[in-house]
Every structure is written in C-alpha cells, then in structure tokens.
C-alpha cells in the first residue's frame, strides 16, 4: 500500500528481508553503541585497567549477539564511528581488539590478575525502561563464559536515575555504579570528528568516562585545522589507534536502519542519517 517504508516494525524484523528481497534495506546507520567502564574504579585504571578492558572486549561474541538478539539489525563495530561516514575504515590499527578471541581474552585477564587479583562481579549498568536488558545479559554472559568470572547487568529503573550516577562518577562524587554503563552516540552531522571529539576529548561535554589523553587531543586539533577532508580524516583515524590502545569505551555495534520499497519505485537509497533520499527515488 506504500512505496517506501523507512522503519520496519519489530514484528517483521525476522522476515522483511526474505519478503522484500533486494528491495529490503538493512545497513549500518550513524549510531554507535558501546559501554564505558570508569577508570576511577578499582582494577580499571592504569595498565591493569587497559589489560582488563581489552580482555573484556575479546570476550564478547558480537556477531552471535547481533544475529540472535537483534535479528541481524545491528552490525558488529569495527571502530568508534560509523560506516556511513566519509573516511570510515574497518581496518584501523588496533581494531583487532574487537574480535571475539576467548584465548586472547583469558591471556590478557591473567596478565591483569598478576598485577592485582580482581574481586567481585563485572557489571554493566542500564536503564530497564530503555529495552537494553536482553543485550546486556547476552554481553555479560559472554564475558562470564569466557573469563570464568561473575558478570551481570546492574539495573536502573529509569534513564534519569542511571544518568544521575554516571554524572556523579564523572564529577568524582559518590555514586552507585559497580562497573561499566551503557553508552553510545548518534551523529549530529556526517563527520568522523563528531563521534570522537564530544565523547573522548579531555573535558568534552559527553566524555562520561572522564577519559584524557593529550596525544589523542592533539590529533583531534590537527584534524580540525586540516586543509582538506582527506587530511583531516587521516588525523582522526590516527587518533582512533590511540582509542584502541586505551579503550575509554568498548565498542559493540552500529544500529542499522531497516526499511524497504515496493515494486512501484526504484533508486531507493538511505542517507547517512538513516532517512531515504527521496529526491533520488523514481516512480515506476
């Protein structure tokens, strides 16, 4: 009854691609999802913290989770930005830390244990009213099964309560976080910097983990003053190599835009902001 659908209802996510064939759209959007572990927490700062975050990252089976929990409507992350942004690359140096590798995860965790034994459970805080419970449980179960540690979600009734504790931790005040917390970003404009500067630059407004690395900040500055987009993206990709070493947040996946079209139209494509390029659509 319609020419173009720009959002597939959840009830049809498992069947729309077989129903529509090559007229189905299921592609990564400018939405990046992750979780952040405050480096101020015991065992998560310094070299020990780097080793533990890398171990946790290698312990997450992103492909299986996106296939089973999200019916393939998420794309496992290979960087800190989005595939729909100019300059994106799936082969940034250090991005192998996002690969599911149980043996490597155990090796790195053991190195961290040699520095200081981990006590308690690994947790990821999330708001129950946001529909995050299923993937949090899947991620923590993956970590639990690989590393042999206790891992679970830390529930907050509503998003506002979660943000209260996140902001308190950011200010160095008392808070109720016991581990990591869900984070992410939806692009304001189609540029790599928009995924990097607001979240990881020193004292940036959305830098919830309190991350700071002068070398990273310097590369952002160089990219922002570059003479061309190509040159700027080179600096931004170099900046990402530092993020992969430090892992201020652990990338999970990109949210996909799902849609489709009828046989009544052609040339249906979706832009960087997940909206159909209506001006390009041709009516049969």
């Amino acid at each position: 009854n319609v020419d173009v659908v720009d959002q597939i209802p959840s009830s049809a996510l498992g069947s729309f691609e077989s129903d529509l064939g090559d007229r189905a759209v299921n592609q990564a959007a400018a939405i990046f999802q992750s979780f952040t572990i405050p480096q101020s927490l015991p065992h998560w700062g310094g070299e020990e913290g780097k080793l533990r975050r890398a171990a946790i990252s290698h312990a997450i089976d992103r492909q299986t989770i996106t296939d089973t929990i999200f019916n393939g409507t998420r794309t496992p992350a290979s960087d800190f930005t989005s595939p729909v942004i100019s300059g994106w690359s799936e082969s940034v140096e250090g991005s192998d830390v996002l690969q599911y590798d149980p043996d490597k995860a155990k090796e790195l965790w053991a190195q961290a244990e040699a520095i200081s034994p981990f006590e308690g459970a690994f947790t990821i805080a999330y708001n129950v009213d946001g529909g995050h419970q299923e993937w949090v449980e899947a991620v923590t179960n993956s970590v639990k099964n690989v590393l042999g540690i206790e891992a679970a979600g830390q529930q907050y009734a509503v998003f506002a309560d979660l943000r209260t504790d996140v902001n308190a931790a950011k200010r160095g005040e008392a808070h109720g976080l016991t581990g990591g917390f869900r984070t992410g970003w939806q692009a304001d404009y189609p540029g790599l910097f928009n995924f990097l500067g607001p979240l990881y630059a020193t004292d940036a407004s959305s830098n919830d983990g309190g991350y700071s690395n002068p070398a990273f900040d310097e590369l952002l500055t160089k990219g922002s003053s570059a003479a061309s987009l190509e040159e700027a993206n080179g600096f931004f990709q170099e900046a990402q190599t530092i993020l992969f070493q430090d892992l201020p947040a652990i990338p999970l996946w990109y949210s996909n835009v799902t849609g489709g079209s009828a046989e009544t139209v052609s040339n249906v494509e979706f832009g960087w902001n997940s909206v159909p390029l209506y001006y390009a659509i041709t009516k049969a």
Side-chain angles (χ1 to χ4, degrees):
N1 295 322
V2 297
D3 293 324
V4 178
V5 174
D6 60 8
Q7 184 174 351
I8 300 295
S10 58
S11 59
L13 288 177
S15 61
F16 82 101
E17 290 183 284
S18 59
D19 290 342
L20 297 179
D22 60 7
R23 292 179 286 109
V25 174
N26 182 12
Q27 65 190 43
I31 303 174
F32 166 85
Q33 295 184 319
S34 60
F35 63 89
T36 297
I37 306 171
Q39 298 181 32
S40 59
L41 292 177
H43 301 293
W44 296 105
E47 184 62 23
E48 179 190 355
K50 284 186 179 182
L51 290 168
R52 293 199 188 280
R53 287 191 294 277
I56 292 290
S57 182
H58 278 303
I60 301 170
D61 190 350
R62 294 167 177 80
Q63 189 64 62
T64 296
I65 293 172
T66 54
D67 286 344
T68 57
I69 300 297
F70 295 112
N71 290 296
T73 59
R74 301 289 190 276
T75 302
S78 53
D79 82 327
F80 289 81
T81 65
S82 165
V84 301
I85 304 301
S86 175
W88 175 82
S89 171
E90 62 179 350
S91 56
V92 177
E93 182 181 347
S95 60
D96 58 319
V97 74
L98 303 182
Q99 296 174 4
Y100 180 55
D101 189 338
D103 290 338
K104 185 67 173 178
K106 293 174 184 177
E107 176 188 337
L108 292 168
W109 191 262
Q111 292 177 25
E113 287 290 277
I115 297 174
S116 176
F118 184 80
E119 299 177 354
F122 168 71
T123 59
I124 299 177
Y126 67 96
N127 49 303
V128 177
D129 64 344
H132 300 283
Q133 181 172 353
E134 200 169 10
W135 73 256
V136 169
E137 289 181 349
V139 168
T140 52
N141 281 336
S142 188
V143 170
K144 180 179 180 179
N145 292 336
V146 170
L147 297 179
I149 63 174
E150 288 299 314
Q154 181 187 2
Q155 295 184 348
Y156 283 76
V158 295
F159 182 61
D161 291 345
L162 172 60
R163 291 303 306 174
T164 296
D165 272 5
V166 169
N167 288 329
K170 185 177 179 180
R171 295 190 299 267
E173 300 172 359
H175 57 83
L177 292 173
T178 57
F181 55 91
R182 73 169 191 86
T183 46
W185 191 254
Q186 182 168 1
D188 299 305
Y189 57 86
L192 294 180
F193 179 89
N194 186 236
F195 284 88
L196 304 177
L199 276 73
Y200 312 115
T202 300
D203 296 328
S205 59
S206 296
N207 185 347
D208 289 335
Y211 175 68
S212 179
N213 186 315
F216 174 79
D217 293 340
E218 182 180 359
L219 287 168
L220 289 188
T221 300
K222 288 181 177 179
S224 298
S225 58
S228 67
L229 179 60
E230 182 178 5
E231 182 185 5
N233 285 339
F235 286 118
F236 296 146
Q237 296 297 29
E238 187 178 352
Q240 284 204 79
T241 66
I242 296 177
L243 295 184
F244 278 124
Q245 294 171 15
D246 296 343
L247 287 179
I250 296 179
L252 291 173
W253 40 72
Y254 316 113
S255 291
N256 287 14
V257 55
T258 57
S261 58
E263 295 178 347
T264 54
V265 292
S266 58
N267 300 323
V268 178
E269 296 182 8
F270 283 64
W272 72 271
N273 58 353
S274 309
V275 176
L277 303 179
Y278 291 107
Y279 62 83
I281 297 175
T282 301
K283 183 79 170 178

